[in-house]
Amino acid sequence: MQKIKVLLRYINRFGIAFTVSFLVQRFILKKSIIKLNLDSLKRPIYLRNNYSDFQVFTQIFLNDEYLVDNLSSPKVIIDCGANIGLASLFFISRYPDSSIIALEPAAENYKMLSKNLGKYHNVSILNKALWSSKTFISIKDNGWGDAGFIVEECQQNITGCIETITLNDLVEQYELNEIDLLKMDIEGSEEQIFSGDYSSWLGQTNNMFVEIHENLKPGITDKILRITSTNYSVNTNGEYHIFSRISS
């Protein structure tokens, strides 16, 4: 019954042609990469034929996890933990005049990220991990595959280590005066981000979507809420805490 309800919601939101195309590619042709077209985007969306990609697509495009009514048109968006680029694609569809910087450390995710975002002139993609300092990290599977993982610091000369970047580095590199929207889904690494030198970039950030991984980092929710309590109002939507700067 639940699957039928979801199917009907897909038809209602995206139309019969879109839904049939999805079902044929996924279950009959069993394509490894599925190509979908949304009216709100100029280019196709590519998904891997697995549960996690379709779960994320459903959360973002069907359940409107990033839809916030009172968010004015952001000019600069930073997507940290961009995965295969679905959040950035939603932002493109919603805010086509924005500039987006998308970071994704996992190699397989980054390949799909490049396929989904590489031809958009207003998007910069980086195969780096967000961290509190310049270093190198390794990716450790936490049982969710490409949909979720945890990271640990490692030595540069170890195979598979990935370069990190800080938010302050991004602000400097891209000469940003403000970050209108910061999306952060970095599998527990938010503990690092809110433990380092956060005062500068946080002072330039107007809105944040943060998936807080309390299960991985006990106590991190209270810490982030405490740090942001003075300058931000907080709401939740799906798995995200939404922080909006309070007007002075």
Side-chain angles (χ1 to χ4, degrees), residues 93-107:
S93 70
R94 188 80 176 168
Y95 315 111
D97 296 326
S98 64
S99 295
I100 299 174
I101 304 166
L103 286 72
E104 173 54 43

PDB file of all heavy atoms in Angstrom, residues 93-107:
ATOM      1  N   SER A  93      17.078  24.501  -9.904  1.00  0.00           N
ATOM      2  CA  SER A  93      15.694  24.607 -10.379  1.00  0.00           C
ATOM      3  C   SER A  93      14.935  25.709  -9.659  1.00  0.00           C
ATOM      4  O   SER A  93      14.058  26.353 -10.235  1.00  0.00           O
ATOM      5  CB  SER A  93      14.965  23.265 -10.198  1.00  0.00           C
ATOM      6  OG  SER A  93      14.738  22.981  -8.829  1.00  0.00           O
ATOM      7  N   ARG A  94      15.280  25.912  -8.410  1.00  0.00           N
ATOM      8  CA  ARG A  94      14.575  26.892  -7.575  1.00  0.00           C
ATOM      9  C   ARG A  94      15.175  28.294  -7.703  1.00  0.00           C
ATOM     10  O   ARG A  94      14.458  29.290  -7.688  1.00  0.00           O
ATOM     11  CB  ARG A  94      14.651  26.428  -6.122  1.00  0.00           C
ATOM     12  CG  ARG A  94      13.817  27.225  -5.147  1.00  0.00           C
ATOM     13  CD  ARG A  94      12.386  26.822  -5.171  1.00  0.00           C
ATOM     14  NE  ARG A  94      11.615  27.528  -4.151  1.00  0.00           N
ATOM     15  CZ  ARG A  94      10.299  27.533  -4.092  1.00  0.00           C
ATOM     16  NH1 ARG A  94       9.605  26.865  -4.986  1.00  0.00           N
ATOM     17  NH2 ARG A  94       9.666  28.194  -3.149  1.00  0.00           N
ATOM     18  N   TYR A  95      16.514  28.348  -7.803  1.00  0.00           N
ATOM     19  CA  TYR A  95      17.230  29.630  -7.841  1.00  0.00           C
ATOM     20  C   TYR A  95      18.208  29.623  -9.023  1.00  0.00           C
ATOM     21  O   TYR A  95      19.425  29.506  -8.832  1.00  0.00           O
ATOM     22  CB  TYR A  95      17.987  29.850  -6.529  1.00  0.00           C
ATOM     23  CG  TYR A  95      17.174  29.540  -5.291  1.00  0.00           C
ATOM     24  CD1 TYR A  95      17.480  28.442  -4.481  1.00  0.00           C
ATOM     25  CD2 TYR A  95      16.092  30.339  -4.930  1.00  0.00           C
ATOM     26  CE1 TYR A  95      16.740  28.159  -3.346  1.00  0.00           C
ATOM     27  CE2 TYR A  95      15.339  30.061  -3.800  1.00  0.00           C
ATOM     28  CZ  TYR A  95      15.665  28.967  -3.006  1.00  0.00           C
ATOM     29  OH  TYR A  95      14.926  28.683  -1.894  1.00  0.00           O
ATOM     30  N   PRO A  96      17.718  29.725 -10.233  1.00  0.00           N
ATOM     31  CA  PRO A  96      18.564  29.554 -11.428  1.00  0.00           C
ATOM     32  C   PRO A  96      19.658  30.611 -11.581  1.00  0.00           C
ATOM     33  O   PRO A  96      20.629  30.373 -12.301  1.00  0.00           O
ATOM     34  CB  PRO A  96      17.551  29.643 -12.581  1.00  0.00           C
ATOM     35  CG  PRO A  96      16.380  30.376 -12.021  1.00  0.00           C
ATOM     36  CD  PRO A  96      16.299  29.983 -10.581  1.00  0.00           C
ATOM     37  N   ASP A  97      19.535  31.746 -10.918  1.00  0.00           N
ATOM     38  CA  ASP A  97      20.544  32.796 -11.041  1.00  0.00           C
ATOM     39  C   ASP A  97      21.619  32.714  -9.955  1.00  0.00           C
ATOM     40  O   ASP A  97      22.506  33.577  -9.903  1.00  0.00           O
ATOM     41  CB  ASP A  97      19.879  34.180 -10.987  1.00  0.00           C
ATOM     42  CG  ASP A  97      18.946  34.401 -12.165  1.00  0.00           C
ATOM     43  OD1 ASP A  97      19.241  33.903 -13.262  1.00  0.00           O
ATOM     44  OD2 ASP A  97      17.900  35.066 -11.980  1.00  0.00           O
ATOM     45  N   SER A  98      21.557  31.720  -9.117  1.00  0.00           N
ATOM     46  CA  SER A  98      22.531  31.596  -8.032  1.00  0.00           C
ATOM     47  C   SER A  98      23.843  31.001  -8.539  1.00  0.00           C
ATOM     48  O   SER A  98      23.897  30.361  -9.593  1.00  0.00           O
ATOM     49  CB  SER A  98      21.965  30.712  -6.921  1.00  0.00           C
ATOM     50  OG  SER A  98      21.763  29.393  -7.409  1.00  0.00           O
ATOM     51  N   SER A  99      24.910  31.223  -7.770  1.00  0.00           N
ATOM     52  CA  SER A  99      26.196  30.558  -7.991  1.00  0.00           C
ATOM     53  C   SER A  99      26.359  29.492  -6.922  1.00  0.00           C
ATOM     54  O   SER A  99      26.153  29.767  -5.730  1.00  0.00           O
ATOM     55  CB  SER A  99      27.344  31.564  -7.907  1.00  0.00           C
ATOM     56  OG  SER A  99      27.261  32.514  -8.946  1.00  0.00           O
ATOM     57  N   ILE A 100      26.726  28.282  -7.345  1.00  0.00           N
ATOM     58  CA  ILE A 100      26.784  27.147  -6.426  1.00  0.00           C
ATOM     59  C   ILE A 100      28.184  26.560  -6.404  1.00  0.00           C
ATOM     60  O   ILE A 100      28.816  26.380  -7.450  1.00  0.00           O
ATOM     61  CB  ILE A 100      25.766  26.063  -6.842  1.00  0.00           C
ATOM     62  CG1 ILE A 100      24.339  26.628  -6.791  1.00  0.00           C
ATOM     63  CG2 ILE A 100      25.887  24.836  -5.945  1.00  0.00           C
ATOM     64  CD1 ILE A 100      23.284  25.681  -7.319  1.00  0.00           C
ATOM     65  N   ILE A 101      28.666  26.272  -5.215  1.00  0.00           N
ATOM     66  CA  ILE A 101      29.926  25.546  -5.022  1.00  0.00           C
ATOM     67  C   ILE A 101      29.562  24.224  -4.367  1.00  0.00           C
ATOM     68  O   ILE A 101      28.981  24.204  -3.273  1.00  0.00           O
ATOM     69  CB  ILE A 101      30.899  26.333  -4.136  1.00  0.00           C
ATOM     70  CG1 ILE A 101      31.166  27.729  -4.717  1.00  0.00           C
ATOM     71  CG2 ILE A 101      32.213  25.566  -3.971  1.00  0.00           C
ATOM     72  CD1 ILE A 101      31.842  28.679  -3.746  1.00  0.00           C
ATOM     73  N   ALA A 102      29.872  23.114  -5.029  1.00  0.00           N
ATOM     74  CA  ALA A 102      29.476  21.792  -4.541  1.00  0.00           C
ATOM     75  C   ALA A 102      30.718  20.960  -4.225  1.00  0.00           C
ATOM     76  O   ALA A 102      31.592  20.785  -5.079  1.00  0.00           O
ATOM     77  CB  ALA A 102      28.613  21.076  -5.578  1.00  0.00           C
ATOM     78  N   LEU A 103      30.785  20.443  -2.994  1.00  0.00           N
ATOM     79  CA  LEU A 103      31.915  19.628  -2.544  1.00  0.00           C
ATOM     80  C   LEU A 103      31.463  18.201  -2.303  1.00  0.00           C
ATOM     81  O   LEU A 103      30.438  17.976  -1.655  1.00  0.00           O
ATOM     82  CB  LEU A 103      32.490  20.163  -1.228  1.00  0.00           C
ATOM     83  CG  LEU A 103      33.319  21.431  -1.200  1.00  0.00           C
ATOM     84  CD1 LEU A 103      32.457  22.659  -1.419  1.00  0.00           C
ATOM     85  CD2 LEU A 103      34.047  21.550   0.127  1.00  0.00           C
ATOM     86  N   GLU A 104      32.239  17.246  -2.791  1.00  0.00           N
ATOM     87  CA  GLU A 104      31.957  15.836  -2.535  1.00  0.00           C
ATOM     88  C   GLU A 104      33.276  15.059  -2.509  1.00  0.00           C
ATOM     89  O   GLU A 104      34.014  15.050  -3.491  1.00  0.00           O
ATOM     90  CB  GLU A 104      31.040  15.258  -3.597  1.00  0.00           C
ATOM     91  CG  GLU A 104      30.818  13.754  -3.508  1.00  0.00           C
ATOM     92  CD  GLU A 104      30.335  13.290  -2.140  1.00  0.00           C
ATOM     93  OE1 GLU A 104      29.457  13.955  -1.557  1.00  0.00           O
ATOM     94  OE2 GLU A 104      30.843  12.257  -1.647  1.00  0.00           O
ATOM     95  N   PRO A 105      33.587  14.401  -1.382  1.00  0.00           N
ATOM     96  CA  PRO A 105      34.872  13.692  -1.286  1.00  0.00           C
ATOM     97  C   PRO A 105      34.887  12.282  -1.884  1.00  0.00           C
ATOM     98  O   PRO A 105      35.932  11.834  -2.365  1.00  0.00           O
ATOM     99  CB  PRO A 105      35.105  13.632   0.227  1.00  0.00           C
ATOM    100  CG  PRO A 105      33.738  13.644   0.819  1.00  0.00           C
ATOM    101  CD  PRO A 105      32.897  14.502  -0.098  1.00  0.00           C
ATOM    102  N   ALA A 106      33.766  11.575  -1.863  1.00  0.00           N
ATOM    103  CA  ALA A 106      33.759  10.170  -2.293  1.00  0.00           C
ATOM    104  C   ALA A 106      33.867  10.059  -3.807  1.00  0.00           C
ATOM    105  O   ALA A 106      33.095  10.683  -4.540  1.00  0.00           O
ATOM    106  CB  ALA A 106      32.489   9.481  -1.803  1.00  0.00           C
ATOM    107  N   ALA A 107      34.792   9.242  -4.282  1.00  0.00           N
ATOM    108  CA  ALA A 107      35.118   9.180  -5.710  1.00  0.00           C
ATOM    109  C   ALA A 107      33.926   8.785  -6.577  1.00  0.00           C
ATOM    110  O   ALA A 107      33.661   9.411  -7.612  1.00  0.00           O
ATOM    111  CB  ALA A 107      36.279   8.204  -5.931  1.00  0.00           C
TER     112      ALA A 107
END
